Amino acid sequence: QVPLVESGGGSVQVGGSMRLSCAVPESTNDRYCISWFRQPPREEREGVANIDRRGGAGYYRDSLKGRFTISQSVDKKTVWLQMNDLKLEDSGVYYCVAGPWCGVTALRSADLYGHWGQGTQVTVSS
């Protein structure tokens, strides 16, 4: 599995918005779903959102519902994570990863996945 490539991170103030992009390689199995994880400073990596690429349905960490939206391009080569009303605790390195798990199950543990990219840093400041 070739790692996916994240981009779009940066610095934003509390209450602001940011959209992250994930480039999905051609070699990625079409049946695989794409998940976003994040790793806050000094904390474990945690699931954020998952998209079922077959129909575009999105699934979210409960605490992020209503603020974050996952979507994909028509050609399914890009997955976006739109983040609104950002809070200090949203800071961290954000990663996207592909796997055969879809739905909230895919967000259960980062240990399910073995091919991580470099991630993109998101810093929310007051």
Side-chain angles (χ1 to χ4, degrees):
Q1 176 67 44
V2 177
L4 283 60
V5 179
E6 308 89 348
S7 63
S11 298
V12 65
Q13 290 191 318
V14 169
S17 297
M18 184 177 288
R19 189 175 79 162
L20 305 182
S21 297
C22 172
V24 183
E26 289 276 358
S27 58
T28 302
N29 190 316
D30 284 346
R31 291 176 293 178
Y32 277 21
C33 293
I34 307 297
S35 295
W36 282 96
F37 277 73
R38 68 184 182 185
Q39 187 162 17
R42 298 173 297 281
E43 295 186 29
E44 293 186 354
R45 205 165 292 187
E46 61 186 24
V48 172
N50 172 270
I51 187 166
D52 186 334
R53 300 169 72 206
R54 294 166 292 187
Y59 303 87
Y60 302 91
R61 186 179 190 82
D62 282 347
S63 61
L64 300 177
K65 289 179 182 178
R67 292 198 299 122
F68 286 22
T69 303
I70 190 170
S71 61
Q72 64 181 352
S73 59
V74 173
D75 62 8
K76 301 182 182 180
K77 294 181 180 179
T78 304
V79 171
W80 297 291
L81 182 68
Q82 177 68 41
M83 306 184 292
N84 297 327
D85 190 23
L86 283 163
K87 305 178 186 302
L88 293 175
E89 54 265 37
D90 293 321
S91 294
V93 181
Y94 282 68
Y95 303 87
C96 58
V97 63
W101 311 276
C102 300
V104 293
T105 300
L107 306 178
R108 187 175 66 238
S109 172
D111 292 339
L112 292 172
Y113 305 90
H115 299 86
W116 296 92
Q118 296 296 311
T120 187
Q121 176 72 47
V122 173
T123 302
V124 184
S125 59
S126 58

